[in-house]
């Protein structure tokens, strides 16, 4: 007989995401005799619609994991839910509760308790005494206001044997249709980065047997894209190389996303990655900054030069997709440092660059030492930095606009090659582009791809006329208007010349429309069918 009903509200950033925390907790709840339901919602969903779905299940307990992206949604939802169902106990967990939780619980009396740290064991223990608040004081990691008194039991104990956590992939993959799936192979991080919630936590690993078994379950469910949530996949060099080999050789039909510390990249791991099929691995590489003073202040032990050495190795492997992370607003850095890091990173030609403002997260050393570093940051999610000793608020506004510029004009594959060409040929390209586009990047919405081309066209006509032809090439390649485009093209009614040289695309494509463009040299752009906008083949003539 069921002890009661638990609803886990998985408030995700997008449809593509899953909430792995809820999947883990389900095993602990069902093992203890509870009926478990998971309700998925997106942070922009209608509160009243989600409320109907959750309340209709008549839960005795509502559980949710709080993150930067969903904290506001969950707070708004739970206040309404508790008004309807005051007898239901609400428990929260997740990284939002790694700091001091007194003020949060005081402001949100509708949330009965939260767990600080790894929640599986603490959650299971709490389910045995959930109706007896007097016994909650015995559970490590639990924070609550009980009869007006704040109880703070520190941080939940770390789970030493990760294989002891029941696999979530036996019972949660029925009818799974999302584009990718999250899984872990380790927890913790030996790094001591002051801005990170995992800094200095003891590293523990799932076994190779568990790793293989979980991937076999995922593969059997037809899932082909797996994102590993490890803080640092290459924490242990030999192990990371061995696991890459397993993914590469035993699960050849699957793709994997890994988070890599470039300063700890082993030659064995690089060799394994180099042998992978094209598109099999997407690497997220944390550089953050190269300024030595900042690295020392943050407790990052790897030098910026070592990090870039690792980045260079990865970017040289053309079978990989490489995504580089940079952070603006770190202690001991200024706006000039940020431009220098971005310039150096872009010159290595990674597939993507993510430049974000520093977040001063609860429970981090940086959060405890904001006064020491002269940091002013928002006290509510997403806790973004507002000012530092070396960066004014105006500097950080400029950094935020630079972030959008990178996302709009460097990261799209359609513009990537042009951006690199401009970087290599136009002195001070990033600075002049940022000055030129500053007003536009102050907006919230990204312009359409066509309008981004137009923006770059205007920039080139003012600052780099020699690049107009290169931009026109990319414009026609995308299939935008040949008559009203960046460079005019004329219809080509003859057969392809015998001496035409295929530059890119499919030489077997049957021409339906062909245009001649006089760029730095003549090119023929072949479009095979009207329903396909992009050029099927491009020839130099």
């Amino acid at each position: 007989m069921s002890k009661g009903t638990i609803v886990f509200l998985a408030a995700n950033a997008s449809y593509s995401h899953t909430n792995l925390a809820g999947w883990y907790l389900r095993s602990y709840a069902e093992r203890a005799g509870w009926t478990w339901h998971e309700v998925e919602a997106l942070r922009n969903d209608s509160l009243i619609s989600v409320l109907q779905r959750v309340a209709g299940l008549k839960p005795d307990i509502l559980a949710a994991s709080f993150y930067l992206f969903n904290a506001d949604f969950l707070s708004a939802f739970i206040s309404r839910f508790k008004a309807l169902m005051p007898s239901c106990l609400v428990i929260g967990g997740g990284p939002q509760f790694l700091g001091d939780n007194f003020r949060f619980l005081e402001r949100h009396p509708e949330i009965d308790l939260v767990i600080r740290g790894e929640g599986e064991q603490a959650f299971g223990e709490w389910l045995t005494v959930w109706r007896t608040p007097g016994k909650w004081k015995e559970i490590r990691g639990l924070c609550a206001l009980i009869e007006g008194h704040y109880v703070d039991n520190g941080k939940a104990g770390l789970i030493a044997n990760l294989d002891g956590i029941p696999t979530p992939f036996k019972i949660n993959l029925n009818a799974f249709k999302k584009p990718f799936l999250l899984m872990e192979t380790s927890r913790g991080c030996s790094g001591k980065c002051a801005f990170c919630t995992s800094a200095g936590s003891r590293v523990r690993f799932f076994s190779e047997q568990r790793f293989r078994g979980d991937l076999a379950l995922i593969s059997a469910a037809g899932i082909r894209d797996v994102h590993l949530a490890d803080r640092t996949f290459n924490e242990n060099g030999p192990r990371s190389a061995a696991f890459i080999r397993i993914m590469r050789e035993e699960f050849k039909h699957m793709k994997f996303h890994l988070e890599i510390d470039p300063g700890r990249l082993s030659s064995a791991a690089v060799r394994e990655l180099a042998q992978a099929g094209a598109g099999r691995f997407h690497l997220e590489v944390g550089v953050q900054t190269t300024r030595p003073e900042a690295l020392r202040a943050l407790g990052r032990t790897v030098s910026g030069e070592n990090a870039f050495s690792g980045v260079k190795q990865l970017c040289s492997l053309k079978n990989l997709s490489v995504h580089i992370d940079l952070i603006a607003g770190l202690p001991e850095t200024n706006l000039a440092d940020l431009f220098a890091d971005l310039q150096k990173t872009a010159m290595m030609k990674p597939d993507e660059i993510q430049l974000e403002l520093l977040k001063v997260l609860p429970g981090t050393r940086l959060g405890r030492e904001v006064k020491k570093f002269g940091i002013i940051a928002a006290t509510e999610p997403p806790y973004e930095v507002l000012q530092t000793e070396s960066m004014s608020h105006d500097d950080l506004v400029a950094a935020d606009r630079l972030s959008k510029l990178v996302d709009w004009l460097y990261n799209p594959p359609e513009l990537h090659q042009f951006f690199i060409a401009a970087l290599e040929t136009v002195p001070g390209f990033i600075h002049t582009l940022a000055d030129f586009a500053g007003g536009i990047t102050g907006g919230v919405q990204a312009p359409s791809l066509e309008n981004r081309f137009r923006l770059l066209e205007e920039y080139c006509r003012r600052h780099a006329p020699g690049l107009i032809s290169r931009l026109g090439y990319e414009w026609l390649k995308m299939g935008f208007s040949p008559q009203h485009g960046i460079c005019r093209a004329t219809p080509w009614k003859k057969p392809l010349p015998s001496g035409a040289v295929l530059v890119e695309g499919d030489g077997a494509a049957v021409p339906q429309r062909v245009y001649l463009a006089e760029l730095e040299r003549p090119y023929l752009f072949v479009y095979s069918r009207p329903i396909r906008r992009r050029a099927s083949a491009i020839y130099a003539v």
Side-chain angles (χ1 to χ4, degrees), residues 183 208 211-212 215 219 224 226 228 233 238-258 267-283 317 319-320:
M183 71 174 290
E208 184 176 308
F211 177 61
R212 274 198 173 95
L215 280 182
S219 175
R224 297 296 178 258
V226 175
L228 301 187
F233 176 75
R239 178 182 182 274
S240 66
F243 276 37
I244 292 169
R245 188 181 311 115
I246 291 170
M247 291 182 272
R248 180 175 62 79
E249 293 182 349
E250 300 178 27
F251 299 92
K252 295 181 179 180
H253 56 291
M254 299 173 73
K255 298 189 296 183
F256 298 91
H257 175 107
L258 316 175
S267 56
V270 173
R271 285 195 299 271
E272 292 296 338
L273 289 168
Q275 297 177 64
R280 293 284 315 282
F281 287 92
H282 179 279
L283 306 185
L317 301 177
N319 60 326
L320 306 178

Side-chain angles (χ1 to χ4, degrees), residues 196-472:
C196 181
T197 55
S198 296
S201 59
R202 184 161 58 88
V203 182
R204 292 139 296 140
F205 299 103
F206 287 93
S207 68
E208 184 176 308
Q209 180 181 6
R210 170 66 177 263
F211 177 61
R212 274 198 173 95
D214 280 353
L215 280 182
L217 292 169
I218 292 167
S219 175
I223 297 164
R224 297 296 178 258
D225 196 344
V226 175
H227 290 207
L228 301 187
D230 303 28
R231 281 295 189 182
T232 306
F233 176 75
N234 60 325
E235 174 79 44
N236 179 298
R239 178 182 182 274
S240 66
F243 276 37
I244 292 169
R245 188 181 311 115
I246 291 170
M247 291 182 272
R248 180 175 62 79
E249 293 182 349
E250 300 178 27
F251 299 92
K252 295 181 179 180
H253 56 291
M254 299 173 73
K255 298 189 296 183
F256 298 91
H257 175 107
L258 316 175
E259 293 195 23
I260 296 290
D261 180 346
R264 290 191 274 177
L265 192 63
S266 69
S267 56
V270 173
R271 285 195 299 271
E272 292 296 338
L273 289 168
Q275 297 177 64
R280 293 284 315 282
F281 287 92
H282 179 279
L283 306 185
E284 184 171 346
V285 183
V287 172
Q288 322 310 0
T289 182
T290 61
R291 186 168 173 81
E293 295 85 351
L295 295 171
R296 286 194 294 270
L298 293 168
R300 289 175 71 87
T301 55
V302 176
S303 72
E305 291 306 314
N306 283 345
F308 266 119
S309 175
V311 170
K312 187 175 182 179
Q313 290 184 73
L314 295 174
C315 289
S316 70
L317 301 177
K318 300 308 178 185
N319 60 326
L320 306 178
S321 177
V322 180
H323 167 125
I324 305 296
D325 290 329
L326 297 174
I327 298 179
L330 290 168
E332 307 292 342
T333 64
N334 56 38
L335 192 57
D337 297 324
L338 183 63
F339 272 98
D341 281 345
L342 179 58
Q343 170 86 14
K344 189 170 184 179
T345 300
M347 289 296 286
M348 294 190 182
K349 305 178 186 179
D351 299 275
E352 294 179 337
I353 301 172
Q354 181 172 310
L355 168 61
E356 287 198 341
L357 293 185
L358 172 68
K359 309 295 191 299
V360 184
L361 302 176
T364 62
R365 177 167 68 86
L366 201 59
R368 296 188 295 271
E369 297 181 354
V370 286
K371 291 184 179 179
K372 172 184 173 181
F373 291 114
I375 292 173
I376 300 173
T379 57
E380 299 291 337
Y383 307 110
E384 73 279 10
V385 65
L386 303 173
Q387 183 176 306
T388 73
E389 284 187 342
S390 51
M391 293 188 75
S392 67
H393 182 65
D394 286 345
D395 288 339
L396 288 163
V397 170
D400 183 60
R401 292 182 175 183
L402 186 60
S403 169
K404 291 178 182 175
L405 196 73
V406 171
D407 199 40
W408 296 355
L409 302 180
Y410 179 92
N411 291 336
E414 301 86 354
L415 296 172
H416 186 80
Q417 293 305 317
F418 171 81
F419 195 105
I420 295 296
L423 196 65
E424 292 175 336
T425 58
V426 180
F429 170 64
I430 295 178
H431 283 86
T432 57
L433 181 63
D435 290 341
F436 170 79
I440 296 171
T441 50
V444 176
Q445 297 296 326
S448 68
L449 181 60
E450 183 172 350
N451 284 337
R452 293 183 223 181
F453 268 96
R454 295 292 190 187
L455 173 68
L456 288 170
E457 177 190 12
E458 186 178 350
Y459 168 84
C460 287
R461 296 199 185 281
R462 293 189 190 183
H463 299 281
L467 285 173
I468 291 291
S469 292
R470 181 62 184 262
L471 189 63

Side-chain angles (χ1 to χ4, degrees), residues 147-162:
E147 296 180 352
H149 298 287
Y150 179 56
V151 173
D152 189 324
N153 293 339
K155 199 170 185 179
L158 297 179
I159 299 175
N161 176 22
L162 295 185

